[in-house]
Amino acid sequence: MPLPEGLDPSAVQGVFVDLDGTVVHHAELLPTAADAVAALQATGVPVVVATGRMFASACRFADALDAADPVICFQGALVGRRSTREVLHHEQLDTEHAREIVAAIVETGEHLNVMTADAFYVAEDNAEAQRYAQSARVPVNAVGDLVAWLDQPVTKLVVSGDPARMDALRDDLVPRFGDRAFIAKSLPFYLEVAAPGVHKGVGCQVVADLLGLDRAQCVAIGDGENDLELLDWAGFGIAVGGGHPALEERADWVAPSIDDDGVPRVLQAVAEARR
């Protein structure tokens, strides 16, 4: 694969990669992804996972990739070491604001996952809860009335359902709570809410500081609405073809789609150029 114009492989210090829609397809890692990550890291470039997934779920994929340590998860709300599960950075929605947003979502009747302490809680165990649990490979915790139950800060809220309804809910929540929370879609059927100021770019800077990386010499790769800040943060942003239209417009380059094995091919191309 030819490298994109404007990307100097010899100057790349780090690559930050989203998971779902990027190197994870239908909840499974692309078969070529681990080899591509290994090839690039062998040239001295750390490949860092930057995902909306929970810490445990993010670590499972980062372990399979043998990616760099630490990992960025919960949309940048948490940065932790996959090797020890040590939490290095954690931003949460305070209890009062979280309860207010939870109440507004519950009123809509949409399914809501409340995430805290690397576990997720739901009002009742249903098909939507099971879908998330199977994707993340974590257990369901049903607690009944979420508003009454919630008595602690929240790392992230995830609403799941029909994509059109998720768009409408986002458009309703942003004017009401956008100054008190980060609200964005990660996948067409997931709408996510985190603490104000939280996004993947924040997590990237935490990791860059830990690893001594210059953001101007870093590459970021993603496919979704929640990757806008990820690509904005990096010196060179790559959108996965077929992803969110606004991301493609903001990106420095658009890679082939996940169906065409786009991201592993990009990583391999950079590795070969560096060698």
Side-chain angles (χ1 to χ4, degrees):
M1 171 186 288
L3 289 173
E5 184 177 349
L7 177 61
D8 178 4
S10 66
V12 174
Q13 295 184 7
V15 176
F16 292 75
V17 181
D18 171 48
L19 289 178
D20 293 280
T22 303
V23 293
V24 173
H25 199 28
H26 302 307
E28 296 294 335
L29 194 65
L30 292 177
T32 55
D35 286 345
V37 168
L40 185 52
Q41 292 195 138
T43 72
V45 176
V47 178
V48 180
V49 166
T51 179
R53 283 179 174 263
M54 301 167 63
F55 189 24
S57 182
C59 287
R60 178 170 61 85
F61 284 106
D63 287 345
L65 289 167
D66 198 17
D69 206 0
V71 300
I72 301 161
C73 50
F74 284 119
Q75 307 294 15
L78 190 148
V79 176
R81 296 196 183 282
R82 68 178 179 85
S83 55
T84 63
R85 299 306 197 260
E86 176 190 4
V87 174
L88 304 173
H89 172 85
H90 194 187
E91 295 286 342
Q92 295 176 287
L93 270 169
D94 68 75
T95 308
E96 180 182 354
H97 287 152
R99 189 181 291 116
E100 186 179 354
I101 298 170
V102 166
I105 294 170
V106 168
E107 285 180 2
T108 70
E110 298 292 354
H111 176 79
L112 174 62
N113 302 322
V114 178
M115 300 182 177
T116 184
D118 208 30
F120 88 97
Y121 301 85
V122 295
E124 62 178 20
D125 188 349
N126 56 24
E128 285 292 336
Q130 286 297 326
R131 178 168 74 164
Y132 195 89
Q134 290 166 14
S135 175
R137 298 185 189 177
V138 294
V140 175
N141 298 284
V143 297
D145 185 337
L146 286 170
V147 178
W149 164 82
L150 185 59
D151 63 356
Q152 59 189 300
V154 167
T155 303
K156 191 174 73 168
L157 305 173
V158 179
V159 195
S160 62
D162 175 75
R165 296 202 313 271
M166 296 301 99
D167 287 340
L169 181 57
R170 175 198 57 203
D171 294 344
D172 176 60
L173 294 179
V174 168
R176 298 168 62 187
F177 303 109
D179 60 340
R180 290 180 281 165
F182 173 77
I183 303 169
K185 292 180 71 177
S186 56
L187 293 171
F189 43 82
Y190 286 152
L191 177 65
E192 309 201 353
V193 181
V198 162
H199 53 72
K200 290 185 181 181
V202 172
C204 288
Q205 191 59 56
V206 171
V207 172
D209 290 341
L210 287 167
L211 300 183
L213 308 177
D214 179 355
R215 63 184 284 187
Q217 305 303 326
C218 290
V219 175
I221 309 175
D223 75 302
E225 179 182 322
N226 64 326
D227 293 318
L228 289 166
E229 293 84 1
L230 171 66
L231 267 61
D232 286 347
W233 175 85
F236 197 90
I238 298 175
V240 179
H244 196 276
L247 193 70
E248 293 192 11
E249 291 175 5
R250 294 258 280 274
D252 295 296
W253 187 68
V254 178
S257 72
I258 192 168
D259 291 322
D260 294 324
D261 219 29
V263 173
R265 290 167 60 195
V266 170
L267 300 182
Q268 287 281 9
V270 175
E272 291 168 9
R274 287 178 60 82
R275 286 198 295 267

